[in-house]
Amino acid sequence: MAVPKRKMSRSNTRTRRSQWKTSAPHLVECSNRACRTPKPQHVVCPACGQYSGRQVNEPA
Amino acid sequence: MPTPTKGARLGGSPAHERLMLANLATSLFQHGRITTTQAKAKKLRPYAERLITKAKVGDLHNRRMIMKVIRDKEVVHRLCTEIGPFFADRNGGYTRIMKTLPRKGDNAPMAVIELVQEKTVTAEAEAARKTRFAADEKKASEETATEVPAAETAVAEEATSEAVEVEESESDDEHPYGAGSHVALEDGSEPEGFPIKGNADSMKYHVPGGSHYDRTVAEVWFRTEEDAEKAGFTKPEGDQDAEQDTES
């Protein structure tokens, strides 16, 4: 079985992990004029429960 | 060789997938709307629509084909007697998927899948825009003849209740929002001297030349913008923005 020849240094470990990044989700305003809450695109508004003028969910 | 189904299998084995889809379809026809994961909703859509197509034919053979999938006889009955005939005028597109926020716990993307409530696509679009297609105008005018009296009374009632709050009014059946207003004529044309359209559902008014003016079906007409605002109608947002831009 293949095994690592050398211990991975802390520096190398941390350099690798420094590339683990998060990105901010892309948010748009809800199209409901009364709501206008930022929400992910193409998703039923979590605040007012509407999507393209339709009431889908109960508002939270 | 039969073409393999697109995408990954739900659940792992073909049998598991068949059972899951059957259960999902049963729930969908039972409740009309279900919340599930996006992957399942996308798999369910063609599956459920094929069943509805069978239900539209509704003869014994097709009923037996449905019975192979849906084991609940009550649901099969509902599918063949209510859902199938309801979609008689619609050629496919019986369901609608709307995405919702990911699930708490495993962060799975979720969706709501529902049976479409509108009879036809044009009816849906017209309801959304509150206008009618030109091709349907002739048929529509016959309908409005029956619809308008009901709408008028509704508007009149609204007006009377509002008028009591605001002032002793000059409003009657002809002028539901005071002297500066006029009810819509049966043929939908402009009453003499009342150029501004009012939309009683959205409580907005549209001036001639405005972006929505041609598309709006007016329930009530106003003589001037002031009359419209006095009656509680507002200017549409798009126009307001334009105004603010010029001011600032």
Side-chain angles (χ1 to χ4, degrees):
Chain A
M1 192 178 74
V3 288
K5 189 170 186 179
R6 300 217 184 283
K7 176 182 176 169
M8 185 124 178
S9 70
R10 257 182 298 187
S11 160
N12 269 344
T13 305
R14 286 171 183 172
T15 310
R16 173 168 40 83
R17 288 190 188 155
S18 73
Q19 298 306 312
W20 299 358
K21 285 166 188 163
T22 58
S23 56
H26 181 240
L27 299 181
V28 293
E29 267 187 3
C30 174
S31 61
N32 178 7
R33 279 187 189 146
C35 176
R36 292 282 179 209
T37 318
K39 69 173 186 70
Q41 216 159 14
H42 313 302
V43 157
V44 174
C45 177
C48 65
Q50 281 193 8
Y51 188 70
S52 68
R54 287 194 185 84
Q55 195 70 39
V56 181
N57 292 331
E58 287 296 303
Chain B
M1 187 183 144
T3 321
T5 324
K6 260 190 198 170
R9 211 165 272 132
L10 298 177
S13 69
H16 192 180
E17 178 175 84
R18 266 202 303 278
L19 284 166
M20 276 166 94
L21 286 174
N23 289 338
L24 282 167
T26 310
S27 306
L28 177 64
F29 296 136
Q30 202 164 15
H31 302 288
R33 151 183 298 200
I34 56 175
T35 308
T36 178
T37 62
Q38 278 179 23
K40 282 180 194 160
K42 281 185 181 175
K43 278 264 181 179
L44 174 61
R45 193 211 305 244
Y47 192 84
E49 298 208 354
R50 231 164 270 153
L51 289 175
I52 294 177
T53 309
K54 291 198 176 87
K56 275 168 82 171
V57 183
D59 58 3
L60 185 60
H61 170 66
N62 281 286
R63 195 178 267 261
R64 282 179 178 157
M65 298 289 275
I66 296 169
M67 287 293 289
K68 289 205 295 194
V69 174
I70 298 174
R71 286 143 292 164
D72 188 337
K73 278 192 181 170
E74 268 179 43
V75 176
V76 174
H77 179 72
R78 196 169 116 77
L79 184 58
C80 291
T81 56
E82 290 172 32
I83 299 171
F86 179 82
F87 288 126
D89 295 335
R90 198 180 257 274
N91 301 318
Y94 312 120
T95 57
R96 174 186 295 130
I97 295 176
M98 283 162 299
K99 294 169 184 174
T100 53
L101 282 191
R103 177 161 63 192
K104 285 269 163 14
D106 64 355
N107 205 27
M110 300 296 282
V112 172
I113 179 166
E114 65 179 14
L115 297 174
V116 173
Q117 297 298 320
E118 291 83 5
K119 282 261 180 194
T120 58
V121 180
T122 46
E124 201 178 323
E126 282 165 1
R129 292 180 298 125
K130 297 195 182 9
T131 55
R132 292 212 164 80
F133 281 113
D136 298 343
E137 203 75 55
K138 276 180 189 163
K139 275 187 280 170
S141 62
E142 290 162 23
E143 280 173 36
T144 42
T146 55
E147 274 171 33
V148 162
E152 255 176 58
T153 49
V155 169
E157 274 171 17
E158 218 174 275
T160 46
S161 62
E162 253 176 50
V164 171
E165 288 167 25
V166 179
E167 53 183 335
E168 283 302 304
S169 68
E170 323 87 89
S171 56
D172 48 40
D173 285 351
E174 277 276 275
H175 310 286
Y177 292 98
S181 64
H182 198 287
V183 292
L185 300 178
E186 283 201 9
D187 58 357
S189 64
E190 177 187 329
E192 197 123 324
F194 296 88
I196 295 180
K197 284 182 173 182
N199 187 336
D201 296 321
S202 62
M203 293 303 279
K204 290 196 167 56
Y205 66 86
H206 302 278
V207 292
S211 54
H212 292 280
Y213 185 76
D214 292 335
R215 286 190 260 154
T216 308
V217 175
E219 282 90 4
V220 59
W221 296 75
F222 293 104
R223 188 169 288 149
T224 60
E225 287 189 35
E226 286 82 53
D227 285 326
E229 298 210 337
K230 215 186 280 174
F233 284 72
T234 53
K235 205 162 200 190
E237 203 159 281
D239 296 355
Q240 271 176 2
D241 286 348
E243 242 174 50
Q244 281 164 3
D245 287 347
T246 52
E247 280 166 19
S248 60

